[in-house]
């Protein structure tokens, strides 16, 4: 158990540092640009691994409650440190953007500047930070201990939402390099909508539907017999997915409307708490 968590604690930060140093020294990128792209890269690699593991587990379990797969607990232990690493990596990206935009505290010492950056980061990324903390503090013990060795099929399905992450990350990188009007960005935007809706929005209703078929009970009766931890997790995570999907749809509609009118699209908030404009520049949202 500790060995897997230690491996994850080394793998994700190590991959980030390796990618950042490679981009800096071999590609000549700045520290901030290399850190931002490296963060997206690590997120995408974690997502590909997680969704692949989820597919293997879900396809291997014939009995959705009793069947077990060794990858389930193994990957939970390995991936849990990722969420702690990602909180810090997102902070580095946020601070770099603030420095580029000239929003760093002026005239303050290093400690004061860091405190201001942390406060601003938490204001803009509060939902994402809470999501990551919830994954470590609640989902990890729920998956490892409270399940009591049952439901590997459902746990495998819960890895699949990560499938949308590589497309989201690619979209952010394309915007960062002023490629948001290219065909690649438009195609990727469609894939973001499709993958996010199918793997995140529809996931939680499908979990209850799958159990209703297994138990031969109506879907509406599943919350009455499901463990409270499952109901609590769904109640907290599903609305968050719906909220993010709403933001994605609003951004897609803005871009579509702007494309039809041949006028610059209005600024829209991205997941990093900034406003992205038609020329690819970002400004702080208020």
């Amino acid at each position: 158990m500790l060995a897997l968590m230690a491996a994850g604690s080394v793998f994700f930060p190590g991959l980030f540092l390796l990618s950042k140093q490679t981009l800096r020294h071999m590609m000549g990128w700045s520290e901030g640009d290399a850190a931002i792209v490296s963060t997206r890269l690590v997120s995408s690699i974690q997502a590909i691994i997680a969704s692949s593991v989820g597919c293997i587990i879900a396809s291997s379990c014939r009995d959705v409650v009793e069947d077990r797969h060794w990858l389930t607990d193994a990957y939970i232990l390995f991936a849990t440190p990722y969420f702690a690493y990602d909180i810090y990596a997102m902070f580095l990206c946020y601070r770099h953007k603030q420095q580029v935009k000239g929003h760093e505290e002026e005239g303050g010492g290093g400690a004061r500047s860091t405190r201001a950056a942390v406060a601003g980061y938490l204001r803009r990324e509060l939902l994402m930070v809470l999501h990551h903390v919830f994954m470590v503090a609640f989902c990890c013990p729920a998956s490892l201990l409270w399940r009591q060795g049952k439901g590997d099929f459902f746990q495998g399905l819960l890895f699949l939402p990560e499938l949308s992450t590589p497309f989201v990350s690619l979209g952010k990188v394309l915007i960062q390099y002023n490629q948001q009007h290219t065909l690649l960005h438009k195609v990727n935007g469609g894939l973001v909508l499709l993958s996010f809706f199918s793997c995140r929005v529809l996931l939680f209703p499908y979990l209850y539907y799958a159990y209703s078929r297994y138990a031969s009970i109506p879907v509406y009766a599943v919350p009455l017999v499901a463990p409270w931890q499952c109901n609590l997790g769904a109640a907290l995570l599903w609305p968050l997915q719906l909220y993010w999907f709403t933001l994605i749809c609003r951004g897609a509609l803005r871009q579509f409307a702007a494309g039809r009118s041949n006028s610059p699209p209005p600024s829209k908030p991205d997941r990093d708490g900034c406003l992205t404009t038609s020329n690819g520049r970002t400004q702080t949202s208020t």
Side-chain angles (χ1 to χ4, degrees):
M1 177 182 294
L2 292 178
L4 286 170
M5 294 193 73
S9 300
V10 172
F11 177 77
F12 296 111
L15 184 61
F16 170 78
L17 292 174
L18 176 63
S19 173
K20 188 179 71 168
Q21 293 303 316
T22 299
L23 292 175
R24 286 190 62 202
H25 296 296
M26 297 187 64
M27 304 293 292
W29 289 16
S30 68
E31 174 79 17
D33 287 344
I36 292 173
V37 173
S38 296
T39 300
R40 309 297 185 209
L41 176 63
V42 175
S43 296
S44 298
I45 291 176
Q46 192 280 143
I48 292 171
I49 298 174
S51 54
S52 300
V53 168
C55 287
I56 293 172
I57 295 170
S59 62
S60 299
C61 296
R62 298 292 177 253
D63 188 308
V64 300
V65 173
E66 299 295 337
D67 283 0
R68 303 218 61 192
H69 197 289
W70 68 270
L71 274 174
T72 307
D73 289 354
Y75 193 72
I76 292 171
L77 290 167
F78 178 74
T80 295
Y82 164 79
F83 295 99
Y85 142 79
D86 198 45
I87 291 175
Y88 180 69
M90 289 191 300
F91 169 72
L92 290 180
C93 295
Y94 169 82
R95 188 164 194 184
H96 166 68
K97 290 179 179 180
Q98 294 301 102
Q99 290 172 339
V100 169
K101 293 174 229 172
H103 294 159
E104 282 284 285
E105 283 285 319
E106 295 182 3
R112 181 181 174 186
S113 177
T114 299
R115 286 195 298 270
V118 170
Y121 167 66
L122 291 177
R123 283 196 301 269
R124 289 191 168 84
E125 292 288 353
L126 182 61
L127 282 179
M128 186 59 63
V129 171
L130 289 177
H131 171 268
H132 282 27
V133 171
F134 179 77
M135 294 296 292
V136 175
F138 180 84
C139 293
C140 178
S143 299
L144 293 174
L145 304 175
W146 299 336
R147 290 192 307 118
Q148 297 180 345
K150 297 183 182 296
D152 280 20
F153 170 80
F154 295 103
Q155 187 62 55
L157 291 179
L158 288 171
F159 290 144
L160 297 183
E162 295 294 335
L163 189 61
S164 64
T165 300
F167 304 114
V168 174
S169 296
L170 176 58
K172 291 179 181 297
V173 172
L174 290 174
I175 290 175
Q176 181 182 346
Y177 289 97
N178 303 331
Q179 300 298 309
Q180 62 268 40
H181 299 307
T182 63
L183 178 61
L184 176 59
H185 184 264
K186 295 176 182 178
V187 172
N188 185 72
L191 293 174
V192 169
L193 283 169
L194 178 62
S195 61
F196 204 99
F197 180 72
S198 58
C199 296
R200 290 181 179 266
V201 175
L202 292 183
L203 172 68
F204 292 95
Y206 179 76
L207 293 174
Y208 283 83
Y209 169 74
Y211 188 83
S212 72
R213 292 189 59 188
Y214 168 81
S216 299
I217 60 176
V219 175
Y220 64 80
V222 174
L224 302 177
V225 300
W228 68 268
Q229 296 92 340
C230 298
N231 291 325
L232 177 61
L236 292 175
L237 290 176
W238 194 39
L240 197 57
Q241 311 307 320
L242 293 173
Y243 170 73
W244 282 331
F245 184 68
T246 300
L247 294 182
I248 292 173
C249 290
R250 286 169 57 186
L253 288 174
R254 287 193 184 102
Q255 187 177 26
F256 178 74
R260 293 194 62 179
S261 63
N262 292 320
S263 61
S267 300
K268 60 182 184 299
D270 65 14
R271 210 181 86 181
D272 296 308
C274 302
L275 293 180
T276 304
T277 59
S278 61
N279 61 7
R281 296 179 181 176
T282 54
Q283 60 188 29
T284 303
S285 60
T286 57

